Amino acid sequence: MGTIFYLIGKSATGKDTIYKLLLQNPQLSLKPVILYTTRPIREGETNGIEYYFTDLNELKKLRIQNKIIEERTYHTVLGNWHYFTVNDTQFTSSSPLLMIGTLESFQAIQKYFGKKQVIPIYIEVEDGIRLERALIRERSQNKPNYEEMCRRFLADQKDFSEEKLKEARINNRFQNIDLNTCINQICLLIKSYSTISAFSDTPYSKH
């Protein structure tokens, strides 16, 4: 299995856009690891692209089969939504992998595969700008849910507190003020790990 690069950040920081652009970069050769969820599919989403959309029965089956690496539940105004990572064929690839999720899910994945195998990439945006972006995105939905938008915004303040970021040893931080600059900086980080891997695989003589 290749190195896992894990995108994390508060809502409306542009993680989804950055995720898609990184996957489209042929120089990085990244393969996606897609999470599973029981939440309803949103307008513009495609099953198997943003998430594998499933139900509680399938989640229970995967639990019995011990295929759940990590899972979490969000108590929303629309009911309980489950998000989880499955140990499936996605992890058999020798190419570097790209994941996206929460700080909690990152820590679980890193614990499962090891700290050297899972590299965090934290996306940041000033809260005022982030709130504006969230509002614009919600307005574009056929049925905007501003209550849920506000819940996510407030929950992020606790979920991504500086104390928790320090505890998780999140050092790779990228400001998404200008998207192109942010992408270029992340690409340099990913390429640096590819270089390290290439050197580590090269035979050498001890002197």
Side-chain angles (χ1 to χ4, degrees):
M1 183 181 69
T3 301
I4 300 173
F5 296 97
Y6 207 106
L7 275 175
I8 52 178
K10 297 176 181 178
S11 59
T13 53
K15 299 188 304 298
D16 291 338
T17 298
I18 291 171
Y19 176 80
K20 292 175 183 177
L21 290 174
L22 290 176
L23 288 175
Q24 292 170 5
N25 190 327
Q27 297 180 355
L28 301 179
S29 300
L30 293 167
K31 301 294 183 183
V33 174
I34 301 168
L35 304 183
Y36 293 65
T37 184
T38 62
R39 80 154 167 78
I41 190 169
R42 294 172 181 162
E43 182 181 0
E45 292 181 328
T46 302
N47 187 37
I49 300 298
E50 288 82 9
Y51 293 96
Y52 286 120
F53 295 93
T54 185
D55 56 27
L56 283 175
N57 288 332
E58 182 63 23
L59 173 57
K60 292 176 181 178
K61 290 179 182 178
L62 291 168
R63 284 174 181 159
I64 294 172
Q65 296 169 0
N66 290 322
K67 289 189 175 182
I68 303 296
I69 297 176
E70 60 84 29
E71 65 175 293
R72 56 221 180 267
T73 303
Y74 296 98
H75 307 289
T76 78
V77 294
L78 299 178
N80 292 339
W81 292 349
H82 303 270
Y83 293 79
F84 49 101
T85 306
V86 177
N87 190 358
D88 55 17
T89 57
Q90 296 181 94
F91 289 101
T92 62
S93 173
S94 60
S95 299
L97 304 175
L98 185 64
M99 298 186 68
I100 183 170
T102 66
L103 182 62
E104 180 185 0
S105 63
F106 157 72
Q107 290 177 293
I109 294 295
Q110 193 177 64
K111 182 178 180 180
Y112 190 90
F113 290 108
K115 292 183 178 179
K116 292 184 178 180
Q117 193 71 30
V118 185
I119 310 302
I121 298 174
Y122 183 61
I123 310 300
E124 293 181 305
V125 172
E126 189 273 326
D127 282 341
I129 298 174
R130 190 167 66 85
L131 185 57
E132 290 177 358
R133 292 180 181 179
L135 185 57
I136 291 172
R137 182 175 67 183
E138 200 63 35
R139 281 175 176 164
S140 68
Q141 300 294 314
N142 281 341
K143 296 181 179 179
N145 189 335
Y146 299 112
E147 184 176 357
E148 175 58 22
M149 182 201 76
C150 291
R151 184 203 66 80
R152 290 199 306 269
F153 186 87
L154 294 174
D156 282 343
Q157 302 303 101
K158 295 181 179 179
D159 294 341
F160 292 94
S161 67
E162 285 300 318
E163 292 78 10
K164 290 185 177 181
L165 292 174
K166 184 176 180 181
E167 179 183 345
R169 298 183 179 180
I170 304 299
N171 299 316
N172 300 321
R173 298 191 180 200
F174 300 88
Q175 289 285 333
N176 186 18
I177 299 173
D178 178 77
L179 180 60
N180 288 332
T181 299
C182 184
I183 288 289
N184 289 336
Q185 291 173 344
I186 294 173
C187 286
L188 288 175
L189 173 73
I190 294 174
K191 289 178 180 178
S192 72
Y193 278 89
S194 298
T195 302
I196 292 171
S197 177
F199 274 109
S200 66
D201 291 339
T202 302
Y204 65 94
S205 299
K206 294 182 179 180
H207 298 285

